[in-house]
Amino acid sequence: MVSLQDPDQELIQRCRSGDQPAFDQLVLKYRNRVMGIATRMLGDRVEAEDLAQDVFVKVYHGLQGFQGEALFSTWLYRIAANSCLNQIRKRKRESQVAVSADDPEPNISDGKSNPHTLLEKKELNSFLEKAIHALPQEQRMVLILRDIEGLSYEEIADSLELELGTVRSRLHRARLEVRASVKEKFDLGVE
Amino acid sequence: MNCQEIRELSSDYLDRQSAPHQVLLFEEHLQVCSNCREEVETLRTTISLIGSLDEIKTSPDFLSQVHRKIEAGGMLRRLWAWFFEPFRLKVPLEVTALFLMSFTALYLYYRSPEISRESDILAPLEGLKLAREKPLNKALPTRGRIEEGNRTAESETKLLAELKAKASKRKSSLEKVGKAHDKVAALTGKKEAVATKRNLQDAQVKPREESLERSDKDFKRYQMAEAKRPESLKAELSEPMDAEKKSREGMIASVPKPEIYELTVGNVALYERRVGVLLKEVGGSLLSQEGSSESGLLLTVKLPQSRQAEFLASLKEEVSVGFKREFQREGAVGTTSGLEKELQEKNVITAGDRMLPSTSRMVEPTVKLQLRILPKK
């Protein structure tokens, strides 16, 4: 039974009935989130995409067993997080390579930003990605889920099967680390 | 709230995870502490910058790739589900089945005749026995069967040869013992005859056992005859009876006493010469002579058994006076029925004659007689 508050309830029901398009919609909705988690955790885009595809294959086969005790997104992130952590353990090393050359285009929200600002922003983003990738994997995962994916503390605790206090402490330490790295190079401009 | 606490709780404050009273305290401190205020602001900026990172997108064929993987893993997935789902039910059953199969296979393997350990360690005699019970093991290769058959045949031949050799040895040893016994009994006293008799007994000659049975019957007949015998004769025959008893009881062989024929003649010396002539005619010999012509002679003679009747008949013709026969018992060997029958056939004695059963040696074809030649008075 799927939670009544789950926005994906209908799609899940249709998927269980064998509705292929419903599954496709789920994939299209969450694919970039899973891709972002995998890329920032593994540090390699190709490997991350392959892992992201595997995550959705697992979701496809596991939908019949999904009881709806949590939101679908929580369940999805749990699969993604565990897959990433397993992959890292399997490799027994962390890639020092940041996001590859074909970085996505910056999300320009202010049409009035001058090129110098854009360049700095691009450089800043790249530096941030590296700083995040330099974090320990436990802190990294929490930071990504909270500050990039926007999950709540409870959702993160459910997805990673952690205590709330653990989530808070790991998140805080991760933020402080990233801030320290950025402050060395960039002026964070506190008025 | 102090600066340390501010630093520790800044993320909760920024994420609106702090309790309301904590928020008040936090803000009060920030109003008076510029350092903490800067810490909180830089942290807020960092969080904002992280949140503004670009979304990483998948490749355009991401969905098709997912479909492809689902299809490719479908068969494996179905097989997995068929074998192991539901896990709690199928896995224990499969493990149990695997265990039973392994056990059965091992059991049949060690029970099969080709690799039976008994066949590998059979001793030759055991192998011979096995070959007799199961002539050929068809599972063996041809060469192996032939070799095994050859070994079997050779073993059997050996065994038979050994048995034959033993049998012939025994036979010859028995014959030797028997001859020795008779020689000793003829020439000497009881002791040596007893020893040879014992040897015969040790050899467990079967005919001897049969002769014992006949001797029992003869003894019973003798007892019946003895009961009817006149008193005057019983005393003379008591000694042989005792000897016979001893022979039966102690299995001690007595020296076979010769048959005594008593003749009353007119001229003892003349008759003595006549006995010598008759003896020569039947191939006999005089063994000993006691007494004198005046008082009477006791002659011990030896002659072939087959000529005994002839000899006695000749004597009978020569003797005008009654021919008194007296038999004494010999050792428990043989029977007198043959002699008795022969004498009747030769009309030496008649059926009405009272004859004591006696035994004669079965081994030697000669008999020993004693002739008491008494002068007519």
Side-chain angles (χ1 to χ4, degrees):
Chain A
M1 185 180 110
V2 180
S3 170
L4 292 174
Q5 297 177 350
D6 193 341
D8 301 313
Q9 178 185 353
E10 184 189 346
L11 284 173
I12 293 167
Q13 293 286 1
R14 286 167 56 190
C15 287
R16 286 179 175 171
S17 303
D19 188 349
Q20 186 70 36
F23 175 75
D24 292 348
Q25 287 185 44
L26 283 175
V27 174
L28 293 172
K29 180 177 179 180
Y30 289 101
R31 61 176 176 169
N32 291 335
R33 294 188 191 183
V34 175
M35 183 66 184
I37 294 170
T39 304
R40 290 185 173 101
M41 286 302 296
L42 299 179
D44 183 85
R45 187 186 174 87
V46 174
E47 188 180 1
E49 186 153 5
D50 188 60
L51 186 140
Q53 292 165 3
D54 293 338
V55 167
F56 285 102
V57 172
K58 290 178 185 175
V59 167
Y60 178 84
H61 292 296
L63 268 174
Q64 296 299 329
F66 176 59
Q67 300 297 324
E69 63 276 4
L71 294 174
F72 171 78
S73 57
T74 305
W75 181 62
L76 175 64
Y77 290 132
R78 184 185 301 163
I79 295 174
N82 288 335
S83 298
C84 290
L85 294 173
N86 289 337
Q87 185 64 21
I88 291 169
R89 286 192 213 107
K90 185 180 177 183
R91 285 181 348 197
K92 294 183 179 179
R93 65 173 177 87
E94 288 188 22
S95 173
Q96 298 301 318
V97 178
V99 180
S100 59
D102 50 333
D103 289 341
E105 293 294 321
N107 188 15
I108 304 171
S109 55
D110 187 0
K112 296 182 179 178
S113 300
N114 56 38
H116 183 71
T117 306
L118 284 173
L119 186 63
E120 282 185 345
K121 188 162 177 56
K122 192 172 181 179
E123 188 179 347
L124 181 60
N125 286 348
S126 177
F127 194 83
L128 276 170
E129 295 282 4
K130 289 178 183 178
I132 292 169
H133 193 71
L135 291 171
Q137 61 185 33
E138 298 84 11
Q139 295 176 14
R140 195 190 322 157
M141 178 62 75
V142 175
L143 184 74
I144 292 170
L145 291 176
R146 173 61 188 168
D147 292 341
I148 299 177
E149 300 300 327
L151 270 65
S152 67
Y153 280 33
E154 290 76 16
E155 287 175 332
I156 295 171
D158 285 341
S159 295
L160 302 182
E161 295 175 314
L162 298 172
E163 297 293 331
L164 274 175
T166 307
V167 174
R168 284 198 179 100
S169 64
R170 287 183 182 179
L171 178 64
H172 184 62
R173 286 201 296 275
R175 285 170 173 173
L176 293 178
E177 288 286 334
V178 172
R179 185 186 67 174
S181 299
V182 171
K183 266 179 95 173
E184 287 180 2
K185 198 167 182 185
F186 294 92
D187 181 14
L188 292 178
V190 177
E191 295 179 359
Chain B
M1 195 174 279
N2 56 33
C3 295
Q4 180 65 30
E5 289 172 333
I6 293 295
R7 279 195 289 275
E8 290 174 2
L9 296 173
S10 54
S11 285
D12 290 344
Y13 171 75
L14 293 172
D15 289 336
R16 298 193 175 90
Q17 296 294 319
S18 301
H21 73 278
Q22 283 185 323
V23 173
L24 286 172
L25 291 171
F26 198 93
E27 287 177 349
E28 281 180 5
H29 182 87
L30 288 181
Q31 287 177 359
V32 298
C33 180
S34 60
N35 289 336
C36 290
R37 198 166 47 246
E38 182 181 352
E39 287 283 326
V40 171
E41 288 304 316
T42 54
L43 188 59
R44 191 195 305 273
T45 305
T46 303
I47 293 170
S48 176
L49 287 171
I50 293 170
S52 65
L53 284 172
D54 300 324
E55 184 183 41
I56 300 175
K57 295 180 180 178
T58 61
S59 58
D61 63 341
F62 183 86
L63 184 60
S64 61
Q65 291 293 329
V66 171
H67 288 163
R68 184 184 61 78
K69 287 188 176 182
I70 289 171
E71 288 298 320
M75 184 179 293
L76 290 173
R77 182 100 189 140
R78 281 193 291 272
L79 277 174
W80 176 267
W82 190 83
F83 276 110
F84 300 111
E85 290 176 5
F87 196 79
R88 289 181 185 176
L89 177 63
K90 287 192 178 180
V91 171
L93 286 174
E94 288 164 359
V95 168
T96 306
L98 188 66
F99 174 77
L100 287 173
M101 283 167 54
S102 304
F103 178 79
T104 305
L106 283 171
Y107 178 79
L108 292 174
Y109 177 76
Y110 283 109
R111 287 283 295 177
S112 62
E114 290 82 359
I115 59 166
S116 170
R117 298 184 79 189
E118 290 180 3
S119 63
D120 293 334
I121 60 173
L122 276 176
L125 285 178
E126 287 294 319
L128 177 65
K129 180 183 174 185
L130 189 69
R132 282 177 180 162
E133 291 170 354
K134 297 178 183 178
L136 277 176
N137 186 348
K138 292 182 181 177
L140 289 174
T142 307
R143 184 178 177 183
R145 287 203 299 275
I146 291 172
E147 288 175 352
E148 187 181 350
N150 289 340
R151 283 199 296 274
T152 305
E154 287 173 11
S155 304
E156 289 205 37
T157 309
K158 263 189 183 177
L159 195 64
L160 282 171
E162 286 174 4
L163 289 172
K164 280 184 181 175
K166 281 185 182 175
S168 62
K169 268 189 185 176
R170 176 174 280 188
K171 190 180 176 184
S172 62
S173 66
L174 284 173
E175 287 177 356
K176 284 183 185 175
V177 168
K179 285 181 185 176
H181 167 72
D182 291 320
K183 282 182 184 175
V184 167
L187 299 172
T188 58
K190 290 185 184 179
K191 289 183 183 175
E192 291 167 4
V194 166
T196 53
K197 260 316 190 204
R198 274 183 177 161
N199 288 338
L200 268 175
Q201 290 165 14
D202 291 337
Q204 296 179 350
V205 178
K206 200 172 181 183
R208 182 162 162 30
E209 292 173 0
E210 293 172 356
S211 70
L212 281 172
E213 289 175 10
R214 290 195 290 271
S215 176
D216 288 338
K217 293 179 186 174
D218 293 338
F219 181 70
K220 285 179 184 172
R221 284 167 56 191
Y222 168 79
Q223 279 183 317
M224 290 168 63
E226 173 64 13
K228 298 175 185 176
R229 179 159 288 281
E231 291 298 325
S232 61
L233 287 176
K234 280 188 183 177
E236 293 175 357
L237 298 172
S238 63
E239 190 181 344
M241 278 180 64
D242 292 337
E244 174 61 22
K245 266 192 181 176
K246 284 179 186 174
S247 169
R248 285 172 51 76
E249 291 169 3
M251 295 301 290
I252 298 173
S254 60
V255 177
K257 292 190 175 177
E259 298 163 2
I260 300 179
Y261 291 85
E262 192 174 275
L263 305 90
T264 305
V265 297
N267 189 338
V268 173
L270 180 65
Y271 207 80
E272 181 197 357
R273 288 196 290 276
R274 185 63 189 148
V275 167
V277 171
L278 291 174
L279 269 177
K280 279 188 182 177
E281 288 178 359
V282 298
S285 60
L286 178 66
L287 296 179
S288 66
Q289 181 175 329
E290 297 174 27
S292 64
S293 302
E294 291 79 16
S295 60
L297 288 173
L298 179 62
L299 304 176
T300 304
V301 302
K302 178 181 170 184
L303 70 159
Q305 187 179 1
S306 58
R307 308 290 297 274
Q308 180 181 357
E310 178 187 343
F311 176 71
L312 292 171
S314 300
L315 278 179
K316 189 178 179 183
E317 289 174 4
E318 301 283 338
V319 177
S320 60
V321 184
F323 192 64
K324 185 177 180 182
R325 296 161 302 279
E326 195 172 86
F327 293 93
Q328 285 185 327
R329 272 207 117 133
E330 292 186 57
V333 177
T335 178
T336 160
S337 61
L339 175 61
E340 187 175 342
K341 188 179 176 183
E342 190 177 344
L343 289 176
Q344 285 176 358
E345 287 173 355
K346 298 288 183 182
N347 294 320
V348 175
I349 56 174
T350 61
D353 287 338
R354 300 293 301 277
M355 286 184 64
L356 295 174
S358 90
T359 57
S360 61
R361 289 191 299 278
M362 303 294 285
V363 179
E364 290 290 338
T366 59
V367 293
K368 189 163 44 175
L369 304 173
Q370 283 186 321
L371 302 173
R372 189 178 291 139
I373 307 173
L374 299 171
K376 192 187 304 182
K377 291 180 180 174

